[in-house]
Amino acid sequence: MEQRISLITLGVADVSRARRFYEQLGWRGQEVEETVFFQAGAVALILWARNKLADDAGIEDGSADGFGGVTLAHNVRSHDEVDGLLATAASAGAEITQSARQTFYGGYAGYFRDPDGHVWEIAYNPGFPLGPDGSITIPDFPAS
Amino acid sequence: MEQRISLITLGVADVSRARRFYEQLGWRGQEVEETVFFQAGAVALILWARNKLADDAGIEDGSADGFGGVTLAHNVRSHDEVDGLLATAASAGAEITQSARQTFYGGYAGYFRDPDGHVWEIAYNPGFPLGPDGSITIPDFPAS
């Protein structure tokens, strides 16, 4: 298995509502057959009805919770960008679950939940450099 | 907000068990402070204790379910790769929740759950080309 991810699909209760939320964050996508596709760098983020997603995956959806132990992070290049993006998300209707604060690794980050409960971190982490194309590189950690 | 994702963090019950599972799929990462970082193309996949992740995000974790309405997809270049990867995942202890089958979009795909319930699709989708570096491109859909 090559070490990569192609698609991240967020199951949502209302595709139009979810699309409007991400558009208010500035994202632009395409909708086809009640599915929204956002090109997101080298991967794609997809919005699809949660019941269809569970059915496609062959699983019982035992919860209406959006957490499920998964978070997505959008890393940025400065403290100010963290504050700005969390404010934008709040304006778009997100719940800020963790206000931006200094992190133990010398960064600055906060979290929000989208209207379906999916959890995003907005983070400035000077130890994880971002390329000009937005790709992130995990550095070689010193052996502990 | 730039249209990209930096990190995908999977909350897990046992970091060592989860790491072993992904290593059996062929992934190689670094562990620091009970956190495993896998470089995955332009993004990173992280394994972290689920309770720490929920606490960091400022949320109550109301479920032990791994779904939460989120799936990850790993797209490949052939039917055979789908079958091969699902077999590898099953050997590593994954539950196959949906056997590989033809899809409505002319592809071939199946799903598995990792030991913490996180759901992965392994998909061959001839309509979504993969670059030499594994990046995926969403095509321009015809206006419907």
Side-chain angles (χ1 to χ4, degrees):
Chain A
M1 184 175 186
E2 292 172 42
Q3 203 157 313
R4 56 184 178 71
I5 293 162
S6 307
L7 313 175
I8 298 146
T9 302
L10 302 182
V12 301
D14 179 331
V15 170
S16 297
R17 180 186 71 173
R19 180 180 185 173
R20 279 196 304 277
F21 175 78
Y22 286 93
E23 288 184 341
Q24 285 182 73
L25 300 187
W27 289 46
R28 293 294 175 267
Q30 299 183 76
E31 188 165 342
V32 56
E33 292 174 9
E34 299 177 326
T35 312
V36 180
F37 297 85
F38 295 107
Q39 184 77 44
V43 304
L45 182 74
I46 298 176
L47 307 175
W48 198 25
R50 180 167 171 149
N51 61 330
K52 293 181 187 173
L53 180 60
D55 187 58
D56 196 57
I59 62 178
E60 284 287 325
D61 187 4
S63 160
D65 191 1
F67 178 54
V70 178
T71 62
L72 303 176
H74 177 89
N75 283 38
V76 294
R77 294 179 175 79
S78 70
H79 280 55
D80 284 353
E81 278 186 273
V82 174
D83 289 332
L85 275 182
L86 288 172
T88 299
S91 297
E95 176 197 358
I96 305 297
T97 59
Q98 185 69 264
S99 299
R101 65 204 198 292
Q102 304 293 328
T103 64
F104 70 90
Y105 54 77
Y108 183 72
Y111 285 87
F112 70 81
R113 297 187 97 152
D114 81 4
D116 290 281
H118 300 302
V119 180
W120 283 84
E121 183 181 27
I122 305 295
Y124 167 62
N125 181 344
F128 287 8
L130 290 173
D133 62 353
S135 60
I136 199 163
T137 301
I138 304 299
D140 287 329
F141 294 111
S144 54
Chain B
M1 183 175 186
E2 292 172 42
Q3 203 156 313
R4 55 184 178 71
I5 293 162
S6 308
L7 313 175
I8 298 146
T9 302
L10 303 181
V12 301
D14 179 331
V15 171
S16 297
R17 181 186 70 173
R19 181 181 184 173
R20 278 196 305 277
F21 175 77
Y22 285 93
E23 287 183 342
Q24 286 182 72
L25 300 187
W27 289 45
R28 293 294 175 266
Q30 299 182 76
E31 186 164 344
V32 57
E33 293 173 10
E34 298 177 327
T35 312
V36 180
F37 297 84
F38 295 105
Q39 184 77 44
V43 304
L45 182 74
I46 298 175
L47 307 176
W48 198 25
R50 181 167 169 147
N51 62 330
K52 293 181 187 172
L53 181 60
D55 186 58
D56 196 57
I59 62 178
E60 285 287 326
D61 186 5
S63 161
D65 190 3
F67 178 55
V70 179
T71 63
L72 304 176
H74 177 89
N75 282 38
V76 294
R77 294 179 175 80
S78 70
H79 280 52
D80 284 353
E81 277 186 273
V82 173
D83 290 332
L85 275 182
L86 288 172
T88 300
S91 297
E95 176 197 357
I96 305 297
T97 59
Q98 184 69 264
S99 299
R101 66 202 197 293
Q102 304 293 328
T103 65
F104 69 91
Y105 54 77
Y108 183 71
Y111 285 86
F112 71 82
R113 298 186 96 151
D114 82 4
D116 291 281
H118 300 302
V119 180
W120 282 84
E121 184 181 26
I122 306 295
Y124 167 62
N125 181 344
F128 285 8
L130 291 173
D133 62 352
S135 61
I136 199 164
T137 301
I138 304 299
D140 288 329
F141 295 111
S144 54

